[in-house]
Amino acid sequence: MWKGRLAIVAILAVSLLAALSMFTVRGASDDQLEVYSWWTGPGEEEGLAAMAKSFEAANPGVRFVNAAVSGGAGSNAKAILASRLLANDPPDSYQRHAGLELLDDVRSGKVKDLNDLYRQQGWAKVFPKGLVDNLTIENKIYAVPVNIHRANLLWYSPKALKELGIAAPPKTWAEFLQQAEVIKAKGKTPLAVGPEWSQKHLMETVLLGQLGPDKYEDLFAGGLSWLAPDVADALNMYAKVLAESDVKSAAGDWQPQLDKVFSGSAVYTVMGDWSSSYLEQSKKLQFRTDYDVVASPGSNGVYDFLSDSFTLPTGARRPDLARKWLIECGSPDGQNLFNPLKGSIPARTDADAALYKGYLEWALQQWRDPKTRIVGSLTHGVVANNAYNAEIDSALGLFVQHGDEGKFAQTVERQFRETQ
Ligand code: GAL
């Protein structure tokens, strides 16, 4: 209860700050571009700043106004953006994920299509077709992708595993449950989790690992019922996995969630690959020696992808500058400045692979490997529209509290039909 109140207070406070900063923005010169995102953490903030600097250099006299609102996965930013869009007060460009997350904005006319910009920049040829399809609604393209992230990853410290006498991270969730016994016997938490969105992120990877990519895709496309026995088994596994986690004292966001693993109180955590920039740049940890990562159990060879993209809102004060920003986002230079710092790989297929080192080199290889199977993330906007995702959030909150997976499945099954 108090957590909910705290969140409301936080959102109100951030709204107030956003309103104040808007006031400053409006009051200042017109030669500025306001860009909205949720990148305020180490790595992501630097990545955004690098692109902003390059944008300012290419557009002398124009100031880049960073309107980022903190909170992993846009947990605060999305709510505040919604109220700005409702009030017809959009920033000049805002962050959205590729996929069904864009649908509401398109249907309600909040964003402009970018077909002319895509033609002018030749982007259809340099972004993967599957990605462009996820940015296209009724033949119109609505956002420019700046990166590719991977969600289905299990992070750990090789040294900690060695000390526990565990030879390798688990290849299946059943194996994770076996390892959890060993880990608990040594007084550690098997799995660290974070706030609600991170618990959903975990559920997504357990579903993927237990069902496999075909059924995972079918489930979100409506071809497989949430009431099917396979899905019930997968949800039951999720409940068991959660029981081996610190969900009762879950971390407040994804960075403190990772901190638990690297300070040694927990052994594993599931998180997207934005973790790599945090671990390397902020924690100064070295890939493979200080930290390591594998596909989350049961999902080897699958890339559960998401893509951060930027839009051109209807009613942007400076659509001319917003287009220039989008060109920066889609350009090879912009992508190569941003992604190595952000901990993501470029959306462009022609970006210079040599710039991507350590974890990112591995990620790029996997992404470009024709044998890799690509599926879309639930938590980060690809496979479910916002209304459906919000219903999953509410039902999941109850499931995590009460552990009633049957009720969860029934609610989500019903809500799928009601939210399409
Ligand atoms: C995702 C976003 C990433 C990163 C992450 C944690 O939704 O796509 O870029 O910001 O949330 O906040």
Side-chain angles (χ1 to χ4, degrees):
M1 192 61 193
W2 64 270
K3 259 191 173 174
R5 279 200 194 128
L6 256 185
I8 291 168
V9 171
I11 289 183
L12 286 176
V14 181
S15 305
L16 185 68
L17 282 176
L20 285 173
S21 76
M22 254 156 48
F23 182 73
T24 327
V25 169
R26 305 243 150 200
S29 116
D30 233 18
D31 275 344
Q32 55 184 29
L33 169 88
E34 188 196 11
V35 173
Y36 191 94
S37 76
W38 56 87
W39 294 330
T40 60
E44 51 192 28
E45 190 174 29
E46 282 81 4
L48 181 61
M51 269 206 298
K53 197 168 158 208
S54 159
F55 169 83
E56 284 185 343
N59 298 283
V62 179
R63 198 163 69 88
F64 179 95
V65 177
N66 179 0
V69 172
S70 67
S75 37
N76 301 320
K78 285 179 178 175
I80 294 166
L81 177 67
S83 61
R84 286 191 61 177
L85 294 183
L86 203 64
N88 291 322
D89 177 31
D92 293 308
S93 184
Y94 61 83
Q95 177 187 359
R96 278 283 190 234
H97 290 119
L100 292 175
E101 188 177 298
L102 278 165
L103 200 60
D104 282 347
D105 293 352
V106 172
R107 284 192 178 151
S108 57
K110 295 292 178 197
V111 285
K112 297 243 185 241
D113 83 76
L114 301 168
N115 284 28
D116 56 341
L117 201 60
Y118 267 71
R119 252 191 309 275
Q120 185 202 92
Q121 299 293 316
W123 280 337
K125 286 194 220 82
V126 293
F127 294 133
K129 179 172 180 311
L131 177 58
V132 176
D133 288 349
N134 268 296
L135 299 161
T136 305
I137 295 165
E138 287 167 9
N139 293 323
K140 292 188 173 158
I141 314 178
Y142 286 96
V144 180
V146 72
N147 66 2
I148 301 291
H149 268 307
R150 186 179 187 181
N152 58 319
L153 293 167
L154 185 74
W155 304 83
Y156 64 96
S157 147
K159 198 167 133 248
L161 278 207
K162 210 162 162 216
E163 279 166 15
L164 288 161
I166 296 176
K171 292 200 170 49
T172 62
W173 284 108
E175 192 188 345
F176 165 78
L177 295 180
Q178 287 161 8
Q179 289 193 7
E181 295 308 315
V182 177
I183 296 169
K184 282 187 296 186
K186 300 267 168 73
K188 293 185 181 231
T189 306
L191 190 75
V193 295
E196 286 78 357
W197 69 265
S198 133
Q199 294 160 25
K200 182 159 76 164
H201 186 129
L202 175 64
M203 178 184 77
E204 153 179 353
T205 60
V206 175
L207 287 172
L208 178 62
Q210 293 296 104
L211 295 173
D214 288 339
K215 287 185 179 167
Y216 171 89
E217 284 192 325
D218 265 13
L219 181 64
F220 292 106
L224 174 65
S225 164
W226 282 88
L227 305 174
D230 286 3
V231 181
D233 287 350
L235 288 174
N236 184 259
M237 176 57 89
Y238 173 61
K240 288 183 180 152
V241 168
L242 215 51
E244 302 300 348
S245 79
D246 55 1
V247 67
K248 298 223 158 62
S249 54
D253 212 339
W254 61 272
Q255 295 98 334
Q257 175 182 344
L258 283 160
D259 288 348
K260 290 195 183 179
V261 173
F262 294 94
S263 68
S265 63
V267 174
Y268 296 113
T269 200
V270 167
M271 191 34 62
D273 55 4
W274 40 92
S275 305
S276 73
S277 70
Y278 174 67
L279 296 175
E280 287 182 20
Q281 291 167 50
S282 184
K283 298 281 144 185
K284 309 284 178 225
L285 301 179
Q286 191 95 37
F287 179 52
R288 298 289 189 217
T289 48
D290 303 328
Y291 81 91
D292 211 344
V293 60
V294 287
S296 53
S299 72
N300 198 24
V302 182
Y303 212 104
D304 180 13
F305 101 99
L306 58 126
S307 170
D308 294 306
S309 307
F310 282 88
T311 57
L312 175 59
T314 308
R317 280 183 327 122
R318 293 297 305 265
D320 55 330
L321 295 179
R323 279 173 197 276
K324 290 184 174 164
W325 163 247
L326 295 175
I327 292 172
E328 173 72 32
C329 291
S331 71
D333 282 0
Q335 303 222 334
N336 288 334
L337 279 170
F338 176 73
N339 287 300
L341 293 166
K342 171 71 168 78
S344 43
I345 54 171
R348 288 183 73 108
T349 50
D350 59 351
D352 182 0
L355 295 170
Y356 297 86
K357 304 249 173 12
Y359 164 76
L360 292 178
E361 185 182 349
W362 182 69
L364 202 54
Q365 273 164 14
Q366 304 256 309
W367 173 251
R368 290 184 175 174
D369 184 344
K371 292 194 294 297
T372 295
R373 171 68 187 271
I374 297 170
V375 300
S377 168
L378 164 71
T379 312
H380 306 279
V382 186
V383 293
N385 67 41
N386 299 341
Y388 185 36
N389 241 323
E391 295 296 345
I392 296 177
D393 288 341
S394 318
L396 188 61
L398 295 174
F399 177 20
V400 169
Q401 263 180 359
H402 307 301
D404 188 342
E405 65 237 32
K407 200 164 174 200
F408 172 75
Q410 272 168 13
T411 310
V412 174
E413 176 66 16
R414 190 179 58 244
Q415 288 305 336
F416 175 76
R417 276 174 273 116
E418 287 182 11
T419 53
Q420 298 313 298

